[in-house]
Amino acid sequence: QAELGLNEHHQNEVINYMRFARSKRGLRLKTVDSCFQDLKDSRLVEETFTVDEVTDMLDGLQTVVHSEVESELINTAYTNVLLLRQLFSQAEKWYLKLQTDISELENRELLEQVAEFEKSEFTSSSKKVENRNIVIKVIKIKTYIFAFDLFLFMKADVNQDITELENKVAALKCQFEKTLNDSTANQKSLEENLVTTKHDLLKVQDQLSTAEKELEKKFQQTAAYRNMKEILMKKNEQIKDLRKKLSKYVVLF
């Protein structure tokens, strides 16, 4: 990674300023792009143009772009003056007199070093953010898997009663089918058995549905359920804390 020969604190200050400059530069470039797009949308509505018409359009575009670039250059110069003012004010509190070398501002080698530093710093920062997002996703997935396994484990005993009711329903279904296939029974007896069996089947199915709801309600009131809920809440808090810690390293562009 490229370095600027500064200590960690000052290098971080440089990075903050570069982030600010990148943001302003991006906004200004969008403004310049919009100048060209406005020209396309408002003037390029015909298939052919005369030389005078093209010249007029280019002159108008040049005026707008010139104004935007000039405004940005002026703003950048004033911003740099404010930055120098902060540094000089701090130095004066310690009775220091700082000096600048204007010629170094056009040193091609140093400018390339700064460009390499910016490229290295912000590219690596993007990868760090991506890696941390992956870590958070993995932690969340593992937490959900743990909670689901815990839920299945604690609900195993509750499911036993439901299974018994389901077996009873299956037995009634077999009886229902057997009655349908019994060709020796008379029609009246067959109809009575069918009605009775169907009634019992519906009754047991209703009992099964009610039992499932009651068991689920009771399960949610058990200490095991509360413990599982508490564990999930703690896991979520851990994820929130991790996000707060990771946010210190997140680079916003």
Side-chain angles (χ1 to χ4, degrees):
Q1 180 177 344
E3 299 290 343
L4 297 179
L6 303 174
N7 61 36
E8 182 179 358
H9 173 77
H10 289 154
Q11 185 157 295
N12 287 334
E13 291 296 313
V14 171
I15 292 173
N16 288 335
Y17 176 76
M18 294 179 72
R19 185 179 298 114
F20 165 78
R22 283 168 62 92
S23 175
K24 300 291 291 185
R25 185 170 66 216
L27 291 175
R28 188 58 61 183
L29 288 175
K30 288 182 179 180
T31 302
V32 173
D33 291 339
S34 67
C35 295
F36 285 85
Q37 188 62 45
D38 290 342
L39 175 64
K40 294 178 183 178
D41 296 338
S42 61
R43 300 294 299 274
L44 300 183
V45 294
E46 300 178 9
E47 295 183 357
T48 57
F49 296 92
T50 65
V51 174
D52 290 339
E53 289 174 334
V54 173
T55 300
D56 180 62
M57 285 188 291
L58 291 177
D59 288 343
L61 180 62
Q62 179 184 13
T63 301
V64 175
V65 174
H66 181 277
S67 176
E68 290 292 339
V69 174
E70 182 182 29
S71 175
E72 178 59 20
L73 291 174
I74 292 174
N75 184 71
T76 300
Y78 292 167
T79 300
N80 290 334
V81 170
L82 292 179
L83 183 64
L84 289 172
R85 179 177 177 274
Q86 291 183 25
L87 297 177
F88 291 155
S89 296
Q90 293 180 32
E92 289 175 1
K93 291 180 180 180
W94 293 92
Y95 305 100
L96 299 176
K97 293 183 178 180
L98 302 182
Q99 294 181 344
T100 60
D101 188 350
I102 302 300
S103 63
E104 290 294 310
L105 299 180
E106 296 183 348
N107 187 313
R108 178 55 54 185
E109 182 179 351
L110 293 178
L111 290 174
E112 291 177 354
Q113 183 179 348
V114 173
E116 183 63 27
F117 174 78
E118 180 184 36
K119 179 181 178 181
S120 175
E121 178 62 30
F122 286 94
T123 300
S124 61
S125 297
S126 299
K127 292 181 179 179
K128 290 177 182 178
V129 173
E130 182 179 355
N131 290 337
R132 285 176 173 81
N133 288 335
I134 294 175
V135 170
I136 292 176
K137 290 180 180 179
V138 171
I139 293 175
K140 290 180 66 176
I141 292 173
K142 288 185 177 181
T143 301
Y144 293 149
I145 293 175
F146 168 78
F148 183 71
D149 290 341
L150 184 62
F151 176 79
L152 293 179
F153 174 77
M154 292 187 295
K155 200 175 180 181
D157 293 337
V158 178
N159 285 337
Q160 183 176 357
D161 295 334
I162 297 177
T163 301
E164 293 178 357
L165 288 173
E166 290 176 342
N167 291 336
K168 189 174 182 180
V169 171
L172 286 171
K173 284 183 178 179
C174 291
Q175 182 181 349
F176 185 79
E177 293 174 356
K178 182 179 180 181
T179 303
L180 285 176
N181 295 328
D182 191 357
S183 59
T184 60
N186 58 50
Q187 184 66 24
K188 183 178 180 179
S189 177
L190 177 62
E191 290 177 355
E192 291 177 353
N193 289 335
L194 286 175
V195 171
T196 302
T197 304
K198 186 174 182 180
H199 176 75
D200 291 340
L201 176 61
L202 294 175
K203 183 178 179 180
V204 173
Q205 286 179 332
D206 181 66
Q207 291 176 349
L208 175 61
S209 177
T210 302
E212 287 180 339
K213 293 178 181 178
E214 289 296 326
L215 288 173
E216 184 69 24
K217 183 178 180 180
K218 291 180 180 179
F219 174 72
Q220 292 180 359
Q221 296 174 352
T222 61
Y225 177 82
R226 291 194 298 270
N227 291 337
M228 182 189 71
K229 187 174 182 180
E230 184 177 353
I231 291 173
L232 288 177
M233 292 178 65
K234 289 182 178 179
K235 288 291 183 180
N236 288 333
E237 289 299 324
Q238 290 176 0
I239 292 176
K240 290 180 181 179
D241 292 339
L242 180 60
R243 282 178 173 170
K244 290 180 180 179
K245 293 178 180 179
L246 294 178
S247 63
K248 296 179 180 179
Y249 303 96
V250 174
V251 178
L252 300 176
F253 298 97

